[in-house]
Amino acid sequence: FDQGEEISTHSSHGDAMVYVIDGQAEITINGEKFIVNAGETIVMPAEVPHAVFAPARMKFMLTVVF
């Protein structure tokens, strides 16, 4: 993602895991914000509202398990 890009708040039928490859992500899960740095992982549970925001340019891998 380039700086300022985002995936707006939504929910998924599967658990979603974000692994930040490079940079930093701001992840919001059920209204609570988390900063996830390169090399870190966070899980967004199924059916819980979440969003991903890039405060600066970043790369991440998204895995969704149904």
Side-chain angles (χ1 to χ4, degrees):
F1 277 28
D2 280 329
Q3 182 177 9
E5 284 193 83
E6 68 180 320
I7 298 174
S8 60
T9 302
H10 65 286
S11 61
S12 171
H13 295 298
D15 293 326
M17 181 184 77
V18 169
Y19 171 71
V20 178
I21 297 167
D22 187 39
Q24 185 180 77
E26 182 182 284
I27 309 291
T28 304
I29 302 172
N30 207 25
E32 185 175 354
K33 291 186 181 188
F34 300 88
I35 299 299
V36 184
N37 296 299
E40 297 178 339
T41 301
I42 193 166
V43 174
M44 301 173 290
E47 307 302 336
V48 175
H50 56 271
V52 178
F53 175 75
R57 191 171 181 166
M58 62 104 166
K59 292 181 189 177
F60 70 97
M61 177 176 66
L62 173 66
T63 305
V64 182
V65 179
F66 295 94

